[in-house]
């Protein structure tokens, strides 16, 4: 952050205006900016450089890693990493895009429940959310805060069929809205996708549908993460799931939510 402060003091906001769209927007919006994306960039261009530099310096010195144990309320810290490498044959590779928490204690925070990803390759390209601040990702995982991580290598095994989407649509107004969003996103993406975050939540409330491994998440200087398996490690990653059972449970809960009833394990 100190380097960024020095840069804007020397050159004004132009470097930030040039580099920020690549961090903020996907490739389509970068290629064909929308009114909203242009407005966001214009807002950044109008920022006073000295004020921006002072904020950068303040954030650069703000480190409360040593106080994480003081948190007594369940929280959802967020980080995301979409391509991860296994450091050894016994390693699985998680990182976090937090989707839900569930209180287990009145005095201790519950482990964050995360949706993340894995990759078997050693030369994976890391996404912006980790690369923007590799040191922060390293600090979060090195702090040993308990976290449950559901890998995208697992969630992508659950792909809702058109019949299942139609079943969601038939659940009522909520189902109709959700099914429309699913179809719209798939059209934009150009292929079917998986309900990654809902599956990560389901791992928290129906753990019997999942198989977990325990260990420590490590983040190297390039932003590549891996899981070193240790029985007493603070990080718990999904390494297997039951695709059919998970899909059926998601549909059941969506339909029960529509009629406003509580959902209990079947």
């Amino acid at each position: 952050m100190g380097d960024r402060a020095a840069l804007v003091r020397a050159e004004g906001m132009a470097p930030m205006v040039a580099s920020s769209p690549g961090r903020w927007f996907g490739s389509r919006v970068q290629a064909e900016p929308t009114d909203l994306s242009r407005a966001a960039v214009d807002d950044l261009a109008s920022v006073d450089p000295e004020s921006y530099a002072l904020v950068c310096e303040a954030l650069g010195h703000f480190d409360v890693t040593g106080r994480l144990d003081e948190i007594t309320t369940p929280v959802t810290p967020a980080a995301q990493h979409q391509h991860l490498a296994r450091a050894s044959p016994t390693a699985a590779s998680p990182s976090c895009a937090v989707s839900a928490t569930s209180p287990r204690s009145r005095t201790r925070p519950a482990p964050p429940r995360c949706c993340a990803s894995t990759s078997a390759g050693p030369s994976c390209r890391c996404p912006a959310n980790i690369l923007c601040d590799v040191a922060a990702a390293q600090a979060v995982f090195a702090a040993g805060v308990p976290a449950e991580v559901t890998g995208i290598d697992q969630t992508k095994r659950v792909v809702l069929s058109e019949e299942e989407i139609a079943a969601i649509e038939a659940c009522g107004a909520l189902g109709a809205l959700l099914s429309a969003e699913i179809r719209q996103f798939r059209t934009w993406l150009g292929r079917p996708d998986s309900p990654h975050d809902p599956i990560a939540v389901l791992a928290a409330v129906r753990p019997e549908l999942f198989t977990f491994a325990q260990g420590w998440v490590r983040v190297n200087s390039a932003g590549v993460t891996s899981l070193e398996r240790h029985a007493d490690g603070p990080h718990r990653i999904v390494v297997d799931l039951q695709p059919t059972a998970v899909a059926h449970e998601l549909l059941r809960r969506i339909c029960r939510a529509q009629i406003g009833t509580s959902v209990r394990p079947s």
Side-chain angles (χ1 to χ4, degrees):
M1 298 301 285
D3 291 344
R4 186 178 296 188
L7 180 62
V8 297
R9 283 194 173 109
E11 302 182 27
M13 293 303 297
M16 297 298 100
V17 171
S19 62
S20 293
R23 297 191 300 271
W24 292 353
F25 310 123
S27 57
R28 291 192 181 185
V29 174
Q30 291 180 55
E32 300 179 8
T34 66
D35 290 342
L36 289 175
S37 69
R38 290 191 189 95
V41 175
D42 289 345
D43 285 345
L44 179 62
S46 68
V47 171
D48 173 64
E50 180 61 22
S51 298
Y52 187 94
L54 290 171
V55 170
C56 289
E57 290 173 340
L59 290 175
H61 291 92
F62 185 76
D63 183 1
V64 293
T65 303
R67 299 182 59 193
L68 291 177
D69 284 343
E70 297 177 23
I71 300 173
T72 59
T73 302
V75 296
T76 54
Q80 185 179 21
H81 189 243
Q82 296 181 352
H83 298 282
L84 309 144
R86 290 187 177 131
S88 71
T90 59
S93 348
S95 182
C96 292
V98 173
S99 53
T101 57
S102 175
R104 289 184 180 174
S105 167
R106 293 185 179 274
T107 59
R108 296 286 296 174
R113 265 70 182 200
C114 308
C115 181
S117 62
T118 64
S119 173
S123 58
C124 302
R125 184 169 64 89
C126 306
N129 289 19
I130 284 286
L131 293 182
C132 282
D133 201 335
V134 173
Q138 291 172 328
V140 168
F141 287 119
V145 178
E148 283 187 6
V149 183
T150 303
I152 288 175
D153 64 324
Q154 295 299 324
T155 62
K156 71 181 182 182
R157 295 170 58 196
V158 182
V159 180
L160 299 180
S161 67
E162 180 54 40
E163 290 77 12
E164 289 168 327
I165 297 173
I168 293 174
E169 185 176 19
C171 286
L174 176 63
L177 177 62
L178 182 56
S179 63
E181 290 182 348
I182 293 172
R183 292 188 178 110
Q184 181 178 6
F185 182 73
R186 288 185 172 191
T187 298
W188 174 83
L189 191 64
R191 59 174 173 80
D193 193 30
S194 303
H196 301 294
D197 288 349
I199 294 171
V201 175
L202 195 62
V205 297
R206 291 295 306 276
E208 67 274 15
L209 301 179
F210 300 81
T211 301
F212 297 87
Q214 203 77 21
W216 281 85
V217 176
R218 304 299 186 190
V219 185
N220 69 18
S221 59
V224 177
T225 70
S226 61
L227 176 67
E228 296 178 5
R229 297 194 183 204
H230 296 287
D232 59 349
H235 307 138
R236 190 168 177 243
I237 181 174
V238 171
V239 293
D240 195 13
L241 55 77
Q242 303 173 39
T244 301
V246 167
H248 288 173
E249 182 66 6
L250 288 177
L251 266 62
R252 188 177 75 89
R253 287 174 175 268
I254 291 169
C255 291
R256 292 292 294 271
Q258 167 64 34
I259 61 177
T261 58
S262 60
V263 179
R264 302 180 186 281
S266 55

